[in-house]
Amino acid sequence: MQFRDLQKQYQILKPQMAPAIQQVLTTGNFISGSQVTELEEQLSAYVGTKHCITCGNGTDALTLALMVWNIGPGDAVFVPDFTFFASGETPAYEGAVPIFVDVEEDTFNMSPSSLEEAILQVKGEGKLTPRVIVAVDLFGQPADYPEIRQIAEKYNLFILEDGAQGFGGRIGARRACSFGDISTTSFFPAKPLGCYGDGGAIFTDNDEWAALLRSYRIHGKGADKYDNVRIGMNSRLDTLQAAVLQVKLKAFDEYELTDVNKVAHRYTEGLREVVKAPIVREGFYSSWAQYSILLKDKEERDRLQAYLKEKGIPTMVYYPRPMSMQGAFAGLDCVKVELPVTADLCRRVLALPMHPYLTAEEQEEVIREIKAYVH
Ligand SMILES: *Cc1c(COP(=O)(O)O)cnc(C)c1O
């Protein structure tokens, strides 16, 4: 059994994938080919934003957004303590201070009350200027944007939606990657919509920011790429990856997203009596980047993981350590107290095999073994 079965997906998509890749090889437009602009149009239509700007990866996407807002030394950027490193790494790379905020146990996402507390604390200290809230759509479920938006407006902060794991999720009819003032995603192969290497995208409705993003991603270009009007970077999506994503987006839209939700439903039905199954809020829809259960404590989690490994069932721990406890942030002025919900989740969380091509038989096996272990 595979944790995320990309080979199986490839076997199914092969008839469409082969000609899409062949087309790029034949035309030879490996950088900025027509597939890139076509894909950007398809992605912005899917998400429901005016602009989509593709780039090299999800980390660059976050960096480019922070560059547009001129985030740097003296600025505070609020980041959930329970997320992938890049969410906090990118503001720190720009010279800003990431301020870590606790999350909610039921959704794993940023806690609005902890966010407001952190903002007030930073304002009270008066050393840093609060600028941005990085809201992460962890494991596929959108963050609590209705609440977070109110806080952003109250304190005049930008929302940067880190939708690296959230592409395809929704709140009501509105799709993930449209909730931020700028939103980003990643096409790393294991994300809900992944390519065959690195890739990322940025979404916004703001024309001025979109123009800046298009410039920053290609060496701060002006009228053309040999007219450089600002310091930028080189972060483009390869034409080959755009061609791959066009095929994958179609499958994602037509059946993968629905299928992965069926898989989640089957897990929850089978497991909710024995472990704490993940919860999707009323009115929210997840793209299930991960299906993470909670065990009683670290000992039970680690023993279950070892037991499942013995049975040939791969699992992962996302994330074993709070961001605020990462050595890389030790020298920064981030929150240094342990945030209780995050610390607890790090000890108890376990992600099960999860992808749209997981069969009912494979799931039965996972559920049976977890039940056997718990009993
Ligand atoms: C994967 C991920 C990123 C970074 O994406 P890359 O494409 O790997 O650079 C950023 N934030 C979160 C929450 C992620 O899961």
Side-chain angles (χ1 to χ4, degrees):
M1 194 181 312
Q2 301 249 351
F3 187 73
R4 189 165 186 93
D5 201 338
L6 296 172
Q7 284 109 314
K8 201 165 179 181
Q9 184 197 42
Y10 173 60
Q11 288 310 322
I12 289 163
L13 298 182
K14 207 170 174 177
Q16 297 91 276
M17 201 57 90
I21 291 174
Q22 193 60 49
Q23 172 74 15
V24 181
L25 302 183
T26 308
T27 54
N29 293 325
F30 298 111
I31 302 289
S32 307
S34 59
Q35 289 86 342
V36 177
T37 10
E38 277 168 29
L39 176 72
E40 288 178 341
E41 280 161 20
Q42 289 158 351
L43 288 170
S44 59
Y46 182 87
V47 164
T49 55
K50 193 165 174 197
H51 303 281
C52 169
I53 299 97
T54 54
C55 63
N57 55 68
T59 305
D60 283 358
L62 291 167
T63 295
L64 286 160
L66 295 168
M67 284 167 77
V68 162
W69 292 332
N70 240 316
I71 301 305
D75 292 336
V77 176
F78 301 88
V79 182
D81 201 24
F82 193 58
T83 177
F84 178 65
F85 188 58
S87 315
E89 176 188 29
T90 45
Y93 189 80
E94 296 304 305
V97 179
I99 304 290
F100 296 109
V101 169
D102 214 355
V103 297
E104 294 182 309
E105 189 190 296
D106 64 339
T107 62
F108 307 111
N109 278 330
M110 181 181 258
S111 149
S113 60
S114 178
L115 169 65
E116 187 158 21
E117 245 172 69
I119 295 169
L120 289 172
Q121 192 180 337
V122 168
K123 284 175 88 80
E125 283 170 6
K127 286 191 292 192
L128 299 168
T129 313
R131 296 284 311 280
V132 180
I133 300 163
V134 177
V136 179
D137 303 337
L138 205 73
F139 303 156
Q141 177 164 205
D144 188 350
Y145 292 103
E147 290 283 328
I148 292 171
R149 178 56 69 188
Q150 281 188 21
I151 296 171
E153 278 170 9
K154 186 166 167 190
Y155 298 100
N156 197 21
L157 306 175
F158 288 128
I159 296 179
L160 174 50
E161 176 183 2
D162 180 352
Q165 302 180 14
F167 190 86
R170 284 192 272 109
I171 304 177
R174 186 163 166 188
R175 286 216 166 103
C177 298
S178 74
F179 296 109
D181 296 293
I182 299 181
S183 304
T184 62
T185 198
S186 163
F187 303 125
F188 182 84
K191 306 282 175 171
L193 177 65
C195 59
Y196 290 159
D198 277 312
I202 311 161
F203 300 86
T204 185
D205 286 330
N206 185 301
D207 298 341
E208 191 189 324
W209 296 342
L212 276 173
L213 289 164
R214 291 201 168 91
S215 169
Y216 278 132
R217 80 169 157 176
I218 308 181
H219 303 292
K221 79 182 175 81
D224 62 66
K225 99 173 168 178
Y226 301 105
D227 172 34
N228 307 98
V229 296
R230 53 183 69 84
I231 303 297
M233 57 203 279
N234 176 17
S235 185
R236 291 173 294 223
L237 183 73
D238 292 343
T239 311
L240 271 170
Q241 301 302 348
V244 166
L245 283 164
Q246 285 189 292
V247 175
K248 289 234 208 171
L249 177 62
K250 198 157 175 285
F252 183 83
D253 192 22
E254 281 175 4
Y255 58 88
E256 282 187 354
L257 184 58
T258 316
D259 287 355
V260 84
N261 271 276
K262 285 183 194 151
V263 170
H265 184 73
R266 283 203 298 259
Y267 266 148
T268 302
E269 289 300 300
L271 288 171
R272 69 164 157 227
E273 311 278 294
V274 278
V275 295
K276 190 164 185 302
I279 286 165
V280 178
R281 283 231 171 124
E282 186 71 41
F284 284 55
Y285 188 77
S286 177
S287 57
W288 296 104
Q290 304 296 341
Y291 188 94
S292 298
I293 58 171
L294 288 180
L295 285 307
K296 200 167 78 240
D297 52 30
K298 185 171 189 312
E299 197 196 344
E300 191 185 66
R301 190 266 314 273
D302 292 349
R303 279 178 26 207
L304 174 60
Q305 184 171 38
Y307 174 84
L308 292 174
K309 188 175 174 197
E310 225 170 78
K311 302 288 174 186
I313 298 171
T315 59
M316 304 289 276
V317 174
Y318 299 118
Y319 294 91
R321 184 185 295 181
M323 291 272 281
S324 52
M325 300 295 150
Q326 291 287 2
F329 297 122
L332 293 181
D333 204 10
C334 319
V335 173
K336 283 291 162 9
V337 295
E338 200 179 66
L339 297 171
V341 178
T342 298
D344 184 54
L345 290 175
C346 289
R347 291 189 278 263
R348 294 169 57 209
V349 78
L350 188 67
L352 305 181
M354 188 62 177
H355 58 86
Y357 302 92
L358 202 64
T359 63
E361 293 71 40
E362 286 174 312
Q363 278 198 279
E364 275 316 309
E365 190 186 332
V366 176
I367 294 166
R368 196 173 57 241
E369 292 300 349
I370 293 175
K371 280 185 168 160
Y373 170 84
V374 173
H375 296 138

